[in-house]
Amino acid sequence: MIQGKKILLGVTGSIAAYKAALLIRLLKKEGADVQVLMTESACDFITPLTLATLSQRPVITTGFEQSNGEWHSHVEMGLWADLFLIAPVTANTLSKMAAGQADNILIATYLAAKCPVFFAPAMDVDMFHHPSTQANIEKLSSYGNHLIAPAAGELASGLMGEGRMEDPEKIVATLKSWFIQSKDFKDLNVLISAGPTFEAIDPVRFIGNHSSGKMGFSIAEEFNRRGAHVTLVAGPVNQEASGDIDRIDVTSAQEMYEACMSVFADADIIVMSAAVADFTPARVSPVKIKKREATLAIELKPTLDILKEMGQIKKEDQLLVGFALESDNERENANEKLIAKNCDMIVLNSLNEEGAGFGNTNKITIFTAEGEEFGFDMKPKAAVAIDIVNTIAILKISRKQV
Ligand code: CTP
C-alpha cells in the first residue's frame, strides 16, 4: 500500500535520529520514494550521507545550497509529497511547528505541505509530559496532524518512561494501515465546486466575492487521498490542488453551471462548496464603461442555481451536498436550503463566528436530510475537510448508498 507513495521524512536533532536510517530502509523496501529533510542539529546525530545513500536521493538540510546556488522550494516539496513523516520530532521542533515558526527548511515545508502529516516525538520523559509539550501536541493534533505516540521504556538519559520514539517497524505499519483504511471512497466519482465566480460588467470589471476556494480544494484533496476520482470545478482562485485531481477552471456562474453539468451524470457524490454569484449583469458592456455620470446603475439578472438544478434531477444513488453561508437565523436558513434544493446534506458556516468563513479556519455544523445534526469545533480548513468527508462516509454507510 506504500508502493509508489512519495514520502517526505523530516529528521530532527534527537538521539533517535539514528532510527531514521532503519525507517528509510523499511519505507524503501515497501516501494516508497523517500525524500529526507534534516534540521541542522539532526546532522550532529546522523550524517546526511548515510540517509542520502539509503534513500537514494540527496538529503535537504537547507533552503539554499551555498555550493551550487540551488534553491529547494519548500512549497514544491510540500505539494510533491503524499505524506510527510517527521520522525523523530524533538520538543523544540514540536513547539516551532505549533507556533508556525519557520526558521528552517523542515518547518517551512511542514507549513507549506498540503498532504497528511504524521509526527513521532522523541524526548526525555519529563520533557514529554511537560504541559508545554502536551499543549503543542494537542494543538498540532487539532490541526489534523497525526500523532504517533512515543513508547515507554528505557530512555537515552537512563530514565524510564514515555518518550522513546516508536519503533520504525510500528511507524511503517501505522502508515501502511492508514493508507489502506483511508481508501473508503475508492473508485467513486466525486464532483466538487470551489471558489467564487466573477460576473463581467465590462471588459475590465466584474462582480465577485471573497471566497478563496480553500475549503473546496481541501475537500477535493481529502476525497482524492481516500481513493475517489475527483473533478474539481474551480472559480478564479489562487490555489493549487495536490494529488491526482481533474481540474476545470471557470470564471462565471454560467461557465460553472456548464462545467458541473458536464460531469454531473457520472458523479456519485457532489459537493457544491463554491460561492456562486446569485446575480449577473443583464448586459455586459463590450467597451469599458466611462465615468460620465455621477451614479451608475447596473441591471442584474439571476444566475442559474446549480445546486437546485442538480437537486431536481439527481438520481436516488447520488449524494448531493450543499453549503450555506449565513449571517442570521443560521439553522433555519440552512435547513430551508437543504429542503428547497433537495440536498442530502448541508454544511453550515456561520458568518457570526469569528474565524469562520473566508479565512484559513472554519466552524461548521452539518445537517442531513434525515434530520441529523453534527456540530464541530473551529479548525483549520484541512481538518474541517476531513470532518465533512467523514460525515459523508457515515451517511453513505447508513444509507448503504453509492
Ligand atoms: N449555489 C449554486 N448556484 C448558485 C448559487 C448557490 O450552486 N447560483 C449553491 C452554493 O454552491 C451552495 C448553496 O447553493 O452550495 C448555497 O448557496 P448560498 O449562496 O448560501 O444560498 P442561496 O441559495 O444563494 O441563498 P441566499 O444567497 O439567499 O442565502
Side-chain angles (χ1 to χ4, degrees), residues 144-339:
N145 300 300
H146 304 269
L147 167 70
I148 302 180
E154 192 176 345
L155 303 168
S157 61
L159 293 173
M160 294 290 288
E162 265 176 306
R164 213 183 62 192
M165 187 180 95
E166 187 52 287
D167 289 335
E169 288 83 357
K170 289 204 179 138
I171 293 180
V172 173
T174 302
L175 302 189
K176 257 170 105 172
S177 67
W178 183 81
F179 274 121
I180 293 167
Q181 272 170 18
S182 58
K183 295 293 169 205
D184 51 349
F185 288 92
K186 193 170 182 313
D187 296 336
L188 291 182
N189 293 325
V190 178
L191 163 62
I192 295 162
S193 72
T197 63
F198 287 177
E199 308 303 318
I201 297 171
D202 69 14
V204 289
R205 303 181 182 96
F206 60 83
I207 299 171
N209 62 65
H210 293 299
S211 171
S212 65
K214 268 192 203 111
M215 195 64 256
F217 274 63
S218 295
I219 296 169
E221 284 163 1
E222 180 62 12
F223 269 119
N224 171 246
R225 192 185 65 69
R226 289 162 76 155
H229 299 299
V230 180
T231 304
L232 176 62
V233 177
V237 289
N238 198 6
Q239 302 280 341
E240 288 299 326
S242 65
D244 187 11
I245 290 172
D246 289 335
R247 174 171 173 171
I248 307 176
D249 285 302
V250 297
T251 305
S252 65
Q254 181 62 28
E255 283 172 18
M256 187 168 273
Y257 171 82
E258 283 161 20
C260 287
M261 286 305 178
S262 72
V263 283
F264 173 76
D266 289 330
D268 300 296
I269 297 167
I270 305 102
V271 182
M272 298 297 290
S273 72
V276 190
D278 290 328
F279 292 94
T280 190
R283 283 166 296 280
V284 182
S285 169
V287 292
K288 191 177 165 213
I289 299 172
K290 299 304 270 181
K291 191 175 51 185
R292 286 190 195 103
E293 311 290 334
T295 59
L296 173 70
I298 297 172
E299 191 191 337
L300 301 176
K301 61 176 185 190
T303 56
L304 283 167
D305 189 325
I306 311 169
L307 183 64
K308 198 170 177 185
E309 299 274 324
M310 286 174 169
Q312 283 166 3
I313 56 169
K314 86 177 168 85
K315 297 188 291 283
E316 252 192 27
D317 59 354
Q318 284 180 307
L319 215 150
L320 185 61
V321 181
F323 270 66
L325 181 63
E326 304 293 341
S327 58
D328 60 312
N329 290 332
E330 292 117 13
R331 304 161 64 82
E332 294 75 9
N333 287 342
N335 275 299
E336 259 173 36
K337 266 175 208 172
L338 175 83
I339 295 163

